[in-house]
Amino acid sequence: MDCGIFTSKTVLLFLSLVFWVAGAALAYVGAYVIKSYGNFDSFIQDKYTLVPAAIIIGVSVVMFIFGLVGCCATLWESKVGLGFFFLIIMGIFAAEVAALVFGVFYQGKINADLERSMNDVFMKYDGHGPETSAVNYVQTRLQCCGVMNYTSWSNTTWFSSNNNTVPMSCCKNSTQCTGRLDQPDQLNTQGCEVKLARLLQGVLGYAMLVILGFAIIKFFGMLSVCVITCKTGSRRNGYQPLYA
């Protein structure tokens, strides 16, 4: 068998396997991003930040089916099948590039929108409502206190109506902590905005890195389809199996 054909077929068969594995991996990544953002949805007013995750999940759904199409088209060297597989790869490659673009765009928007939305949520903290649960969750999970730092609570209604104290979720040790600002050694003094922005950017950056890796594989897959199609038409007659 022609070395170029053998190599291209091997690449495409490997790519078909990658389609199945990647489908599962991308579904996990997309779900992980949505779950991570969902934990802090009270602080994220711009829901379009989930667009990259939605694209990832959409891509993963079709990849399982397309992996089977690519495997059959490669083994039988069907020009129609390979052409269809090429269009599939190109479409998914374009979707992954779009996800990368959206990811870069929204990664830059996180910092711009987060401070305003977090200030709104912290101001609504009353000890009972959904905003209270969101604030307590983020302060406990990230071990932080207030938007900029623990003194940010002094500008809130909760602070003035509760004897100038911060919520207990700010405390390092809830059994001894009173929530008073003059006892900073018992409080998590770092602000939540920086920590939350770093967490969300890290999750999105991880997703973008995975997408970039799969996009590179798709590029070599398109190149392999071109090699097989061109050599089949110009140098070979009929079907030549992979093991020949």
Side-chain angles (χ1 to χ4, degrees):
M1 177 184 288
D2 183 279
C3 181
I5 295 294
F6 178 82
T7 302
S8 297
K9 279 190 171 184
T10 302
V11 169
L12 287 179
L13 288 176
F14 174 74
L15 183 60
S16 298
L17 177 63
V18 168
F19 264 83
W20 294 319
V21 177
L26 287 176
Y28 170 79
V29 170
Y32 175 68
V33 172
I34 290 177
K35 180 181 178 182
S36 298
Y37 275 57
N39 290 332
F40 309 104
D41 59 353
S42 296
F43 304 103
I44 305 173
Q45 295 182 350
D46 187 359
K47 300 305 179 182
Y48 289 107
T49 52
L50 294 176
V51 168
I55 293 176
I56 294 173
I57 292 179
V59 169
S60 69
V61 171
V62 298
M63 287 182 80
F64 291 101
I65 300 175
F66 290 162
L68 180 62
V69 173
C71 181
C72 295
T74 301
L75 290 175
W76 291 97
E77 292 188 14
S78 167
K79 287 187 177 181
V80 175
L82 287 173
F84 181 62
F85 193 42
F86 179 86
L87 293 177
I88 291 171
I89 299 174
M90 185 170 63
I92 294 178
F93 178 80
E96 290 171 341
V97 171
L100 283 172
V101 173
F102 275 113
V104 171
F105 176 74
Y106 287 117
Q107 195 173 38
K109 276 193 79 176
I110 288 176
N111 287 338
D113 297 336
L114 201 56
E115 181 178 354
R116 173 175 51 83
S117 61
M118 288 187 73
N119 279 323
D120 291 340
V121 174
F122 273 69
M123 286 298 297
K124 295 177 182 177
Y125 188 96
D126 58 5
H128 305 289
E131 291 82 5
T132 296
S133 299
V135 170
N136 286 337
Y137 177 83
V138 74
Q139 289 192 148
T140 302
R141 167 81 182 275
L142 301 181
Q143 296 183 336
C144 58
C145 183
V147 178
M148 303 304 296
N149 54 53
Y150 71 110
T151 62
S152 298
W153 278 104
S154 60
N155 299 320
T156 64
T157 304
W158 169 267
F159 184 81
S160 59
S161 61
N162 286 271
N163 299 321
N164 295 337
T165 60
V166 300
M168 300 303 289
S169 56
C170 283
C171 296
K172 295 179 181 178
N173 188 342
S174 59
T175 60
Q176 299 177 358
C177 178
T178 62
R180 293 171 52 185
L181 295 186
D182 60 356
Q183 298 175 327
D185 57 310
Q186 297 182 0
L187 301 173
N188 295 309
T189 57
Q190 290 185 306
C192 295
E193 181 196 355
V194 173
K195 286 194 171 185
L196 181 56
R198 189 180 299 125
L199 174 65
L200 296 178
Q201 287 179 342
V203 170
L204 192 57
Y206 165 72
M208 291 168 59
L209 187 63
V210 172
I211 294 172
L212 178 61
F214 285 125
I216 293 174
I217 295 175
K218 302 299 187 305
F219 174 78
F220 284 106
M222 290 188 290
L223 198 61
S224 298
V225 171
C226 292
V227 170
I228 293 178
T229 303
C230 292
K231 290 202 172 186
T232 298
S234 60
R235 297 176 54 184
R236 304 183 307 126
N237 294 317
Y239 165 73
Q240 183 175 355
L242 177 61
Y243 50 80

